[in-house]
Amino acid sequence: MKALTGLEQVARLRSDIEMKKFSIFRAKVVAVQARLSQLQDQLRGYYDVPAAFSLDEARLTNALTVETLQSIAREEAHLQRMLPAFEMARAAATKEFGRVQVLRQLGEDLDHQRDLIARRRM
């Protein structure tokens, strides 16, 4: 039982480490997604004007559009590069969390069996 408790403690520590790694990746992914959303809103705002554009306004809007589209492309590429590591961190955190749950359940099962054996001896 002591060995199982020790294994559960080690598993819990590993799980905590993996959950923290996953949390860091998740925060980065959420930040990139927020920037993408902001850039897309900005892009929509360029053309969401009630009045017609003058020639100078159209040139400015087109220049801003190109710059914003390039920023969107960079952010999307950055997100795509991050996703494999994000998925690996998620899988590792899930695996380690599952290991803790299995060890905890094993401990509970052993306690239950021990109680049953003790009752039968009475």
Side-chain angles (χ1 to χ4, degrees), residues 1-13 103:
M1 191 62 187
K2 285 185 179 182
L4 188 59
T5 302
L7 286 174
E8 184 182 342
Q9 289 173 347
V10 170
R12 188 173 293 126
L13 289 172
L103 289 169

Side-chain angles (χ1 to χ4, degrees), residues 16 18 31 34 36 45 50 52 54 61-62 74 86 91 103 106 122:
D16 289 347
E18 293 302 328
L36 273 168
S54 69
T61 300
N62 285 340
R74 280 191 303 273
F86 173 76
L103 289 169
L106 282 173
M122 291 182 175

Side-chain angles (χ1 to χ4, degrees), residues 2-75:
K2 285 185 179 182
L4 188 59
T5 302
L7 286 174
E8 184 182 342
Q9 289 173 347
V10 170
R12 188 173 293 126
L13 289 172
R14 289 178 62 174
S15 176
D16 289 347
I17 290 168
E18 293 302 328
M19 287 297 218
K20 286 177 185 176
K21 286 180 187 178
F22 174 65
S23 178
I24 290 167
F25 269 112
R26 186 176 181 285
K28 290 178 181 182
V29 167
V30 167
V32 171
Q33 290 171 332
R35 283 193 303 269
L36 273 168
S37 179
Q38 181 184 18
L39 287 167
Q40 290 164 346
D41 289 344
Q42 185 178 342
L43 186 62
R44 279 189 288 278
Y46 293 150
Y47 294 97
D48 191 22
V49 292
F53 290 150
S54 69
L55 186 56
D56 288 338
E57 289 171 331
R59 286 182 181 138
L60 176 61
T61 300
N62 285 340
L64 291 171
T65 299
V66 167
E67 183 180 315
T68 303
L69 287 171
Q70 289 170 344
S71 294
I72 288 173
R74 280 191 303 273
E75 291 295 332

